[in-house]
Amino acid sequence: MQPDLSPKAAEIVAHARTLLEAGGYNGFSYADISARVNISKASIHHHFPSKAELVRTVVALYRAEAREGLAMLDRQLGDPLKELNAYVDYWSSCIAGGTASFCICAMLAAESPMIPPEIAEEVRGHFEDLSGWLTATLEKGVAQGQFQLQGAPSDEAKAFMASVHGAMLAARGFGDAQTFAALARLSVARVTAHR
């Protein structure tokens, strides 16, 4: 369920998401948001009494957006290989265009021993959502002769997800968006059936 946010709360959430993507949960404070949104820290507390509540809201909205995006790929493409490629292309264009350089749930997962439990639960939910979609996509692709898997579809889905997140990290490490595209394409090629 998506919360009803006032325009100011939505602006706070948008800036928090950008800061989470850049440096994770412990990489920002309400002072950082206050400077970006140009309101007092007390005003931020009015909308989000705690940082944990703010970040949980950001992740819940991120999850809803991701679920809708993946469902849209299913509806519009209806072809497992095209869906995997579209998923990879989405991230390639986000990283190359500078609109998003990292999955915030992957960033938060790296911090999971140090984040509040309600946020860790949302992060796990995102990983379950994404691996569930990838599992179903791989299963359809196997049934249609598009994919050839070395392991169980659920394990292959997790491996694919891990390699995409790893490609994001490599792109950051090398400071090169093309690194992501090259590595993510290899992940697709690895599951594609060779005819």
Side-chain angles (χ1 to χ4, degrees):
M1 179 171 167
Q2 293 188 33
D4 257 346
L5 298 177
S6 69
K8 190 53 77 176
E11 187 180 356
I12 292 166
V13 163
H15 285 288
R17 180 172 169 167
T18 300
L19 290 164
L20 279 169
E21 178 194 317
Y25 185 81
N26 293 304
F28 78 96
S29 69
Y30 272 19
D32 297 310
I33 293 174
S34 174
R36 287 173 176 236
V37 181
N38 202 25
I39 61 171
S40 70
K41 289 189 281 183
S43 294
I44 297 170
H45 280 284
H46 167 74
H47 294 285
F48 300 99
S50 69
K51 182 178 177 181
E53 187 176 329
L54 169 59
V55 173
R56 193 203 58 72
T57 299
V58 172
V59 177
L61 290 168
Y62 183 86
R63 279 184 70 193
E65 181 184 301
R67 281 191 305 266
E68 178 52 36
L70 297 173
M72 188 173 64
L73 291 180
D74 288 339
R75 287 190 308 269
Q76 290 182 348
L77 300 177
D79 176 281
L81 181 56
K82 287 180 182 174
E83 290 170 30
L84 271 194
N85 280 317
Y87 172 73
V88 165
D89 290 346
Y90 166 80
W91 278 109
S92 290
S93 65
C94 285
I95 292 167
T99 55
S101 64
F102 216 86
C103 168
I104 63 169
C105 287
M107 178 69 79
L108 289 166
E111 295 181 285
S112 106
M114 301 173 357
I115 60 176
E118 62 269 31
I119 297 168
E121 186 178 325
E122 286 288 345
V123 169
R124 264 190 307 281
H126 174 73
F127 273 65
E128 289 165 3
D129 294 343
L130 181 54
S131 65
W133 178 80
L134 287 166
T135 298
T137 302
L138 292 173
E139 287 171 342
K140 286 186 286 185
V142 167
Q144 295 176 19
Q146 292 179 314
F147 301 141
Q148 186 173 350
L149 308 180
Q150 297 171 12
S154 61
D155 292 338
E156 290 282 353
K158 290 172 187 160
F160 187 89
M161 181 174 60
S163 73
V164 167
H165 290 154
M168 291 174 185
L169 188 60
R172 272 197 176 178
F174 286 109
D176 175 32
Q178 291 308 310
T179 297
F180 173 82
L183 296 177
R185 287 273 159 243
L186 285 175
S187 298
V188 174
R190 199 179 74 71
V191 298
T192 303
H194 301 291
R195 296 174 190 199

